[in-house]
Amino acid sequence: MAPPRVLTVAGTDSGGGAGIPADLRTLAVCGVHGCVAVTAVTVQNSVGVTGVHVIPPEVVAAQIESVATDIGLDAAKTGMLAGREVIAAVVAAFDRVGIGGDGPTPLVVDPVAASMHGDPLLAGDALDAYRRDLFPRATVVTPNLDEVRLLTGIDVHDRAGQYDAARALHAMGPRWVLVKGGHLAEDADVCVDLLHDGRTFTELPGPRFATTHTHGGGDTMAAAVAAALARGCPVPEAVAFGKRVVTEGVRHAYPLGAGHGPVSPLWAVPPWWEDRTAPSTGG
Ligand code: PXL
């Protein structure tokens, strides 16, 4: 039996911390098969991004259609989409193969705008395309507070602001909104994400860890949510699952290079190889 299938439409990260490497790692740990439509190649390490090379939009669309029509998909997620030309091609391809909107395949939209170093990963004129074309097709959108500010103009400083932002984002058309609280300075020991479907609000609290190694955290969360949706979980359960994967991922994040190390889902992988490859003690 093949496992559930999930497509990530996202950028690469040569350092292996965020983007497609983080997505595929997370999808594998969550027991699903990951397919890939590359939107951009980024030149980066733990210190920052020094190059972004956008893939031609028609090549992005062709990757989506190729896997959807042969392999089939149980869920999809978007990460770095680079600019409005790629967004337009992705939206058209999604409509052709039934991803998001009223189609059968649920869609997680993580509106990636910048790396944690502050390097831009989205053209400034692409925000309209997100709001107008992608959000109405999303099963759930998962912005952090920097992305919330760009998309809504709301500068969230407290829990009440998180609720305002959730309402404003829901009005843009997604079925569900998850306003992540990782960047909320007023929460010293907790990290509270807020889930909203236009009617109900659910606060998802988790511990906050004193670490700078949070590279790829948003990607890890969105990929885990997509994996759970692909397994047939309703959105609230899928988001609670994603919260658990990313919380434990931050707890188990490791240093790498001179800058920010990656959030790691590898805590969930049993170290079976230690037993099998331990050197013989002789005899
Ligand atoms: O974590 C957001 C993200 C997504 N995709 C790519 C990235 C980053 C952050 O650096 O590089 C390719």
Side-chain angles (χ1 to χ4, degrees):
M1 273 281 281
R5 305 141 298 176
V6 175
L7 170 68
T8 170
V9 184
T12 65
D13 167 1
S14 47
I20 284 173
D23 289 344
L24 289 181
R25 213 166 24 238
T26 304
L27 293 172
V29 165
C30 295
V32 303
H33 176 82
C35 298
V36 167
V38 185
T39 59
V41 172
T42 74
V43 181
Q44 69 172 296
N45 54 29
S46 73
V47 180
V49 180
T50 54
V52 172
H53 300 267
V54 180
I55 303 299
E58 66 274 17
V59 178
V60 179
Q63 293 173 85
I64 295 168
E65 292 187 43
S66 175
V67 299
T69 54
D70 169 45
I71 293 171
L73 295 168
D74 300 294
K77 69 150 281 202
T78 62
M80 173 187 180
L81 296 180
R84 58 186 181 167
E85 297 83 2
V86 168
I87 294 175
V90 166
V91 166
F94 280 178
D95 284 353
R96 283 194 288 273
V97 301
I99 294 173
D102 297 323
T105 310
L107 172 63
V108 181
V109 172
D110 185 24
V112 172
S115 77
M116 70 177 297
H117 323 92
D119 301 308
L121 299 174
L122 181 73
D125 63 4
L127 292 169
D128 258 344
Y130 257 109
R131 287 183 289 244
R132 192 191 55 226
D133 300 326
L134 212 40
F135 275 25
R137 290 171 167 81
T139 309
V140 54
V141 298
T142 63
N144 64 33
L145 295 187
D146 293 329
E147 293 152 359
V148 164
R149 187 169 6 86
L150 289 171
L151 288 159
T152 67
I154 299 176
D155 215 347
V156 175
H157 294 293
D158 53 21
R159 193 82 63 240
Q162 239 177 324
Y163 277 72
D164 290 341
R167 284 190 201 92
L169 288 158
H170 187 266
M172 295 175 187
R175 310 296 174 274
W176 294 81
V177 177
L178 183 71
V179 178
K180 294 179 293 186
H183 297 183
L184 197 56
E186 77 155 19
D187 287 335
D189 303 319
V190 288
C191 175
V192 180
D193 300 337
L194 180 67
L195 182 65
H196 178 51
D197 66 349
R199 237 170 9 97
T200 61
F201 291 90
T202 307
E203 293 185 10
L204 293 111
R208 179 182 294 276
F209 301 104
T211 176
T212 59
H213 304 313
T214 57
H215 187 43
D219 316 60
T220 301
M221 169 113 194
V225 172
L229 291 177
R231 290 178 169 280
C233 282
V235 170
E237 279 85 339
V239 167
F241 174 78
K243 176 76 173 171
R244 180 165 168 231
V245 171
V246 75
T247 299
E248 292 305 313
V250 176
R251 192 201 301 277
H252 293 88
Y254 46 84
L256 214 55
H260 299 288
V263 168
S264 173
L266 300 180
W267 58 269
V269 178
W272 54 269
W273 46 267
E274 273 180 13
D275 297 328
R276 300 210 183 177
T277 61
S280 163
T281 50

